[in-house]
Amino acid sequence: MQKMESRGVELPSLWEKALKLIGPEKGVVHLATAAVLNAVWDLWAKQEGKPVWKLLVDMDPRTLVSCIDFRYITDVLTEEDALEILQKGQVGKKEREKQMLAQGYPAYTTSCAWLGYSDDTLKQLCAQALKDGWTRFKVKVGADLQDDMRRCQIIRDMIGPEKTLSLFLQMMDANQRWDVPEAVEWMSKLAKFKPLWIEEPTSPDDILGHATISKALVPLGIGIATGEQCHNRVIFKQLLQAKALQFLQIDSCRLGSVNENLSVLLMAKKFEIPVCPHAGGVGLCELVQHLIIFDYISVSASLENRVCEYVDHLHEHFKYPVMIQRASYMPPKDPGYSTEMKEESVKKHQYPDGEVWKKLLPAQEN
């Protein structure tokens, strides 16, 4: 870093000050890192003529380990640990790859039960999803308890009473709405609907709070799911150490690209915690499918209690959108990371001259 001199005292440059405030392990830096390095992985896979998941699956374990930064996590995962996990994952790998190509990775839908939907809309969307073969549904909760109970009852009545990944199930997502005691009290009342998990019940930074909620709700059969807002591998390490989650939700863009996600996948395997990725925003489904398919083939070797989120909108902007068959992600076959957007979509949404912004900006000024 360049230094500035002031009255004989060496001062950090403005850039160094800004970086110190953000922190090298904080979210903004990791988001930027993901943006750059995910693009590198996309180019690498295209150069090899493979989708990213296949590039990872075919990679030698030692090469995979060389892609990981083990700083701050060696008390949980060393290079030797990672290599051992990946070497064990070689056993049966070809059979699991064939299984993925034939059957795909199981998914659940978040598109039916957003807060604010009327009961009629909820019923209509749920009925259509069932008709399309979906058996796993996530319900948004946390704004009003009585409203939650009514909506959860509607969905539970429609999808059936079973609570198993092979049949019909229901997950709940509070999107960080509650304090710790409130989360325990609220979910104790929603337990009768047999949710597999409650997602983000409190602040994503509150590791011990999640541990407290977990301790209270696991005896009720409700797991804790979190991770979409976790901004580095260290937070995931501590969540695992504190037994604060039963379902780990990586995000393909929140962490520092494929590289950091590799470390989290391996830590999850070390703790035998299932990975159930977050995939709600623009392109997240396209990206994270590569990571979770790789995880099954080369790391976890298990589909028990494992499922990947799917949202049915915004795929039309991508040249290689996700393919869903029988409520499962089918492994992409095009080279790259499935991130390439259509030129017309980029042009339309480019700031500030794109068609979308030309309409939005005058409206905001008025």
Side-chain angles (χ1 to χ4, degrees), residues 57 85-100 293-302:
V57 165
I85 290 170
L86 290 168
Q87 286 174 337
K88 287 182 178 178
Q90 299 294 302
V91 179
K93 188 171 73 170
K94 291 183 179 180
E95 290 73 18
R96 291 191 295 275
E97 182 175 341
K98 290 179 181 178
Q99 179 188 354
M100 284 290 98
I293 291 169
F294 160 75
D295 179 58
Y296 172 63
I297 295 173
S298 297
V299 181
S300 73
S302 173

Side-chain angles (χ1 to χ4, degrees), residues 40-56 58-59 63 333-337:
V40 173
W41 280 93
D42 179 58
L43 291 172
W44 185 1
K46 286 177 178 175
Q47 181 69 28
E48 296 293 327
K50 300 176 180 180
V52 162
W53 70 265
K54 180 62 171 170
L55 177 69
L56 292 168
D58 289 349
M59 203 174 289
T63 305
K333 297 181 180 179
D334 295 291
Y337 206 0

Side-chain angles (χ1 to χ4, degrees), residues 75-91:
D75 51 329
V76 162
L77 184 78
T78 65
E79 291 187 36
E80 292 75 18
D81 294 332
L83 186 60
E84 182 181 356
I85 290 170
L86 290 168
Q87 286 174 337
K88 287 182 178 178
Q90 299 294 302
V91 179

Side-chain angles (χ1 to χ4, degrees), residues 24-27 29-31 33-34 37-38 41 67-73 77 230-236 250-267 291:
E25 297 301 316
K26 297 297 183 182
V29 171
H30 281 228
L31 286 166
T33 300
L37 292 185
N38 280 339
W41 280 93
C67 295
I68 299 170
D69 184 351
F70 288 90
R71 287 178 302 168
Y72 314 129
I73 62 172
L77 184 78
C230 289
H231 46 258
N232 63 57
R233 64 196 179 279
V234 179
I235 299 294
F236 276 111
I250 58 169
D251 183 285
S252 54
C253 295
R254 178 69 58 180
L255 294 179
S257 85
V258 173
N259 302 72
E260 190 165 28
N261 269 298
L262 288 174
S263 69
V264 176
L265 292 174
L266 289 163
M267 284 192 290
L291 299 177

